[in-house]
Amino acid sequence: MTKQILNNLLFIVLPIFLIGQGREEGFVRTDTLGKTKNIKFIGLPIAFYTPETQFGVGGGGQMFLLNNTNQYNQRLSNVLFSGIYTTAGQIMFNVTPQVYLGKGDYFIDAEYLFEIYPNSFWGIGPETPEENEELYDQTTHKLKVSFLKRLPPDLNFGFTYNFANHQVTEVEEGGLLDLGTILGSDRTIISGIGAEFNLDTRNDIGSPTDGQLFGIGAHFSSPILGATHGFNKFTLDLRNYEPLGARSTLATQVYIENNYGDVPFQGMAFFGGSNSARGYFYGRFLDKNMYVVQAEYRYRFKPRWSFAAFGLIGSVAGDASDLLRFNSVKPGYGAGVRFKLLKDQGTWLRLDIGNGKDGQNGIYFGVNEAF
């Protein structure tokens, strides 16, 4: 554990610019490689650390459309892309266009992801034992396209198309996935449409100190559209950021996910990770239903330095009525530090140490706040 902490601290002081698992706000705008009257291009190195990936390095870039701006919040249309290799043997290529139309009255938000991803699987349910862990390899092509309409000043709603092709290429002999009884153990295609609604009054995306985000999503995967399994996914994301004086903020989040139908394990709710349940490996527990309630106190003790302490509870279950069973509740807690890279640019480096139930723990190093 000490060695991992030291490695993360070394990455903080290295003269390299970083991105976590975010969007354009995760990039530090550093080296402008090309600029015309309408387009600006920036090349960027990438580095991060999570328990699921270990250290990740790579490169990417971002193209800004200078004449295509959201008039409500002054965000530019852009296309962001990256290529990453991790010490866990994972390869990821990602392209995410974000385009504003009608000066921000309409918004196209898209993402394409290709990855070769060795991962761990413990089974399905809230109480899978640690000794169940087995390794598997998966190759994924994923596409998401959302078209949203803005109702000024803060309301957005629209429709989404989701496609994912998950090909499990290698499993452990005699393991749970090798038995073939778990949906998605060989191949899963998710294809369907959905609807999204959100009310966003945050004063900043990467590190908000005031405002709220209320998001609702409904997504459907259907064999009519080429899916291997038919199921429905509903999500609720409620966040509040309450200033406590000039330097402090109390951030809270309630996240609920419910899935109904023939849900492959790739489409289930994944508990853990660097954003929703720090202290648990992302996917350590998974099932059809999940909730996470977390709170974080943030204190800016210097203009470019802040401290955070967080706590959370959550769980997964096959039946939503079982989510609040006392013996399946999974608590987590931890703390971390943040450093603002540039005085006039709102990008923060984040280092968190999280602890969970039964010795679960994790170190998370990336960009901007967890939520």
Side-chain angles (χ1 to χ4, degrees), residues 61-337:
Q62 194 166 19
M63 182 178 69
F64 294 93
L65 307 179
L66 302 180
N67 290 340
N68 198 333
T69 305
N70 184 337
Q71 64 181 343
Y72 302 104
N73 52 29
Q74 300 306 307
R75 296 172 191 164
L76 289 171
S77 294
N78 67 93
V79 179
L80 179 143
F81 60 90
S82 63
I84 295 169
Y85 176 79
T86 76
T87 53
Q90 297 142 346
I91 298 172
M92 292 171 275
F93 176 72
N94 189 252
V95 180
T96 56
Q98 295 182 318
V99 180
Y100 298 101
L101 305 174
K103 297 183 179 181
D105 291 312
Y106 299 91
F107 179 41
I108 298 175
D109 185 15
E111 179 179 14
Y112 170 74
L113 171 68
F114 167 75
E115 63 181 13
I116 299 173
Y117 205 93
N119 205 353
S120 294
F121 180 76
W122 286 266
I124 296 171
E127 303 187 28
T128 52
E130 190 65 33
E131 58 268 23
N132 270 18
E133 181 182 8
E134 60 187 65
L135 302 179
Y136 70 98
D137 291 352
Q138 183 171 265
T139 298
T140 294
H141 294 270
K142 184 182 293 185
L143 175 67
K144 178 181 179 180
V145 180
S146 298
F147 182 77
L148 302 178
K149 164 66 176 169
R150 184 184 185 96
L151 295 178
D154 303 308
L155 185 63
N156 303 276
F157 72 95
F159 298 96
T160 297
Y161 173 71
N162 286 287
F163 173 85
N165 185 342
H166 303 283
Q167 183 71 52
V168 178
T169 56
E170 186 174 351
V171 298
E172 287 192 12
E173 185 176 353
L176 295 171
L177 294 176
D178 188 40
L179 296 176
T181 57
I182 294 175
L183 290 181
S185 59
D186 53 356
R187 185 189 184 197
T188 289
I189 295 177
I190 296 172
S191 181
I193 59 174
E196 295 185 2
F197 168 94
N198 69 72
L199 177 66
D200 190 354
T201 64
R202 295 174 295 175
N203 62 349
D204 183 67
I205 294 180
S207 183
T209 58
D210 194 5
Q212 295 83 33
L213 172 66
F214 302 146
I216 300 173
H219 303 276
F220 312 97
S221 180
S222 173
I224 296 175
L225 296 175
T228 53
H229 307 88
F231 67 96
N232 305 325
K233 180 186 296 287
F234 301 95
T235 58
L236 176 67
D237 188 355
L238 307 177
R239 308 183 194 185
N240 184 67
Y241 304 91
E242 190 68 33
L244 303 177
R247 295 187 176 185
S248 301
T249 302
L250 178 63
T252 56
Q253 181 190 32
V254 176
Y255 179 81
I256 300 173
E257 180 175 333
N258 303 110
N259 294 276
Y260 302 94
D262 296 326
V263 190
F265 81 89
Q266 296 95 335
M268 290 184 171
F270 278 57
F271 186 86
S274 63
N275 295 325
S276 65
R278 284 162 288 178
Y280 295 87
F281 188 99
Y282 181 66
R284 172 60 185 87
F285 300 99
L286 67 159
D287 214 320
K288 289 185 175 182
N289 302 279
M290 179 180 76
Y291 79 93
V292 177
V293 179
Q294 58 179 332
E296 183 168 283
Y297 173 75
R298 301 165 183 169
Y299 176 70
R300 188 171 300 183
F301 57 92
K302 287 188 177 182
R304 297 175 66 182
W305 285 93
S306 68
F307 165 83
F310 60 88
L312 64 96
I313 59 171
S315 189
V316 300
D319 192 312
S321 62
D322 293 332
L323 280 175
L324 296 180
R325 287 172 49 203
F326 180 77
N327 61 351
S328 68
V329 173
K330 307 184 188 312
Y333 65 92
V337 294

Side-chain angles (χ1 to χ4, degrees), residues 1 5 278-279 310 333-336 351-355 361-364:
M1 177 67 71
I5 295 173
R278 284 162 288 178
F310 60 88
Y333 65 92
L351 174 62
D352 284 331
I353 300 175
N355 295 277
N361 60 76
I363 299 174
Y364 306 91

